[in-house]
């Protein structure tokens, strides 16, 4: 509610500023409005010398949108109003006072464009206003995150519902009183995805930072997701606290205990039988298989080489 009221106050201030900035018919005025708010596009025509009949007055509001498509928003003709854009209106009482300003309720991204009013009294009067629509992003970042010692952790910063598309995301590491740009060391990587175009015309984007536990000095660090957008007068900051946690200890359940006991007893029985056979095998040398390895071995990448040793009778076995 508070937020909505702030928005309305802001829009009113904008309107006042724009009204003062000159309303002559040959200049295009600029107006900015946040999505979901109401806006009034001004159109003050010359005072009527006498009270004209409604039938003598025609008001036409047109818009050329961002795709250069022209459409009729609202018309007043022969004493009747035709509303093409739902939630648009010209106040009749104001109209009698030479004010054909258009009110647009619940503005959406699609309302952006160049608006013009055309009044025929029958003297023709026109006025244009360029309406810019803005949508402030919602930024979602977890407050806390944990990385397992020796592993990596990816933290996502979700930025949704903004307009226009231009937006910058920066990850910063808070180190004491200093902030350092993240993603520059091999221990932290930043990946910002392409913006998604939402059905309501706004955009959403996701940015992730992957940190290795060894980059976290002193067991804890603060990471900041900083967003820059036209709707912010200064960068918007949110931060997450990243802590290092010990690797999880294996937990033995009753089932594994029973399984372990069974396996152990089975091994003891096999050992007794195997003992006799081993005595025989002790005398013969072990057989070593071919070394198996992946078909491609990359430089500086750890690769597993395997070989199987069979029939090792000797107590000591040296593998080189
Ligand atoms: C404003 O418009 C949006 C999208 O068209 C709609 O979801 C919302 O309910 C509208 N709000 C009001 C107050 O009319
Ligand atoms: C934080 O700053 C200290 C010195 O001020 C430096 O030694 C350390 O590497 C920095 N840590 C990170 C993660 O940049
Ligand atoms: C966010 O941090 C930057 C510096 O990193 C600062 O310039 C800006 O004012 C901060 N924004 C807010 C809203 O505090």
């Amino acid at each position: 509610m508070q937020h909505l009221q702030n928005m309305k106050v802001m829009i009113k201030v904008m309107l006042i500023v724009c009204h003062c900035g000159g309303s002559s018919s040959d200049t295009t005025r600029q107006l900015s409005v946040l999505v979901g708010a109401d806006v009034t596009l001004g159109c003050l025509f010359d005072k009527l010398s006498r009270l004209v009949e409604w039938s003598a007055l025609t008001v036409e509001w047109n818009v050329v949108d961002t795709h250069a498509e022209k459409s009729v928003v609202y018309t007043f003709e022969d004493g009747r109003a035709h509303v093409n854009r739902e939630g648009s209106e010209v106040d009749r009482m104001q109209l009698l006072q030479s004010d054909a300003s258009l009110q647009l309720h619940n503005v959406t991204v699609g309302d952006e464009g160049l608006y013009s009013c055309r009044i025929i009294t029958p003297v023709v009067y026109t006025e244009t206003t360029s309406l810019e629509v803005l949508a402030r992003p919602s930024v979602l970042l977890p407050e806390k995150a944990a990385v397992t010692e020796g592993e990596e952790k990816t933290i996502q910063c979700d930025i949704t519902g903004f307009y226009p598309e231009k937006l910058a995301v920066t990850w910063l590491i808070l180190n004491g009183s200093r902030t350092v740009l993240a993603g520059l060391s091999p221990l932290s990587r930043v990946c910002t995805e392409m913006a998604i175009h939402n059905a309501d015309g706004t955009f959403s984007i996701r940015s992730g930072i992957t940190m290795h536990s060894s980059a976290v000095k002193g067991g804890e660090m603060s990471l900041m997701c900083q967003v820059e957008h036209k709707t912010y007068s200064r960068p918007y900051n949110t931060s997450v606290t990243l802590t290092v946690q010990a690797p999880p200890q294996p937990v033995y359940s009753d089932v594994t205990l029973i399984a372990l006991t069974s396996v152990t007893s089975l091994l003891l029985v096999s050992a007794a039988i195997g003992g006799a056979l081993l005595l025989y095998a002790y005398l013969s040398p072990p057989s070593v298989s071919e070394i198996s390895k992946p078909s491609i071995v990359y430089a500086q990448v750890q690769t597993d080489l395997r070989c199987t040793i069979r029939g090792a009778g000797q107590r000591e076995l040296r593998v080189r």
Side-chain angles (χ1 to χ4, degrees):
M1 249 355 249
Q2 182 70 39
H3 185 62
L4 207 72
Q5 266 166 3
N6 284 348
M7 244 160 54
K8 285 204 170 135
V9 167
M10 202 178 105
I11 290 154
K12 279 201 185 116
V13 169
M14 278 177 179
L15 286 175
I16 290 161
V17 168
C18 290
H19 273 299
C20 299
S23 59
S24 97
S25 61
D26 49 10
T27 55
T28 299
R29 286 179 302 161
Q30 308 285 329
L31 212 56
S32 290
V33 63
L34 282 174
V35 159
D38 297 344
V39 69
T40 303
L41 306 171
C43 180
L44 304 170
F45 52 96
D46 297 333
K47 279 267 181 283
L48 300 169
S49 49
R50 60 196 160 78
L51 190 65
V52 287
E53 290 287 314
W54 281 124
S55 57
L57 182 68
T58 302
V59 177
E60 254 181 48
W61 271 99
N62 296 306
V63 63
V64 177
D65 68 15
T66 49
H67 305 291
E69 272 174 39
K70 190 176 169 176
S71 57
V72 180
V73 181
Y74 181 101
T75 49
F76 184 87
E77 214 170 1
D78 299 327
R80 277 201 305 273
H82 304 273
V83 181
N84 287 3
R85 188 262 190 215
E86 213 181 303
S88 66
E89 146 182 45
V90 172
D91 191 300
R92 281 195 189 212
M93 294 310 291
Q94 301 275 313
L95 204 51
L96 285 177
Q97 289 157 30
S98 311
D99 181 357
S101 297
L102 180 77
Q103 293 165 43
L104 290 180
H105 300 291
N106 195 9
V107 168
T108 65
V109 168
D111 287 325
E112 188 168 75
L114 189 67
Y115 286 79
S116 54
C117 72
R118 213 165 92 96
I119 318 289
I120 306 162
T121 65
V123 179
V124 179
Y125 175 88
T126 60
E127 193 168 326
T128 54
T129 304
S130 169
L131 182 67
E132 176 188 50
V133 177
L134 302 171
R136 189 170 288 159
S138 299
V139 183
L140 199 70
L141 182 73
E143 271 177 38
K144 288 180 193 139
V147 56
T148 305
E149 205 170 338
E151 289 180 12
E152 284 184 339
K153 174 81 182 175
T154 300
I155 302 164
Q156 297 285 0
C157 188
D158 278 307
I159 305 148
T160 51
F162 57 89
Y163 187 86
E165 188 177 0
K166 192 175 185 294
L167 178 136
V169 196
T170 314
W171 285 91
L172 300 163
I173 296 174
L174 303 178
N175 189 1
S177 56
R178 292 189 317 142
T179 53
V180 190
L181 199 63
L184 298 177
S185 84
L187 296 174
S188 72
R189 293 190 304 276
V190 170
C191 175
T192 302
E193 293 170 13
M194 299 266 291
I196 300 166
H197 202 172
N198 300 314
D200 65 359
T202 62
F203 293 89
S204 295
I205 203 168
R206 222 153 71 121
S207 180
I209 187 166
T210 305
M211 297 288 302
H212 193 271
S213 68
S214 56
V216 186
K217 305 268 158 54
E220 190 176 295
M221 88 183 337
S222 252
L223 295 168
M224 190 194 268
C225 173
Q226 188 174 78
V227 180
E228 288 168 84
H229 191 249
K230 197 164 187 177
T231 51
Y232 298 134
S233 52
R234 52 186 192 150
Y236 178 86
N237 309 316
T238 48
S239 50
V240 52
T241 306
L242 182 64
T243 49
V244 178
Q245 66 182 14
Q249 297 297 318
V251 181
Y252 297 111
S253 68
D254 289 351
V255 178
T256 46
L257 269 180
I258 293 164
L260 272 175
T261 324
S262 325
V263 169
T264 317
S265 29
L266 224 114
L267 277 175
L268 283 173
V269 175
S270 336
I273 303 165
L277 291 169
L278 212 68
L279 211 66
Y280 167 74
Y282 192 80
L283 301 167
S284 56
S287 74
V288 178
S289 77
E290 285 275 289
I291 294 173
S292 71
K293 62 176 197 304
S295 50
I296 304 166
V297 178
Y298 296 97
Q300 294 182 1
V301 173
Q302 197 176 321
T303 310
D304 283 342
L305 302 177
R306 284 175 215 277
C307 71
T308 314
I309 302 167
R310 266 187 245 278
Q314 285 91 339
R315 285 259 182 80
E316 277 183 57
L317 186 70
R318 230 177 277 149
V319 182
R320 281 185 284 187

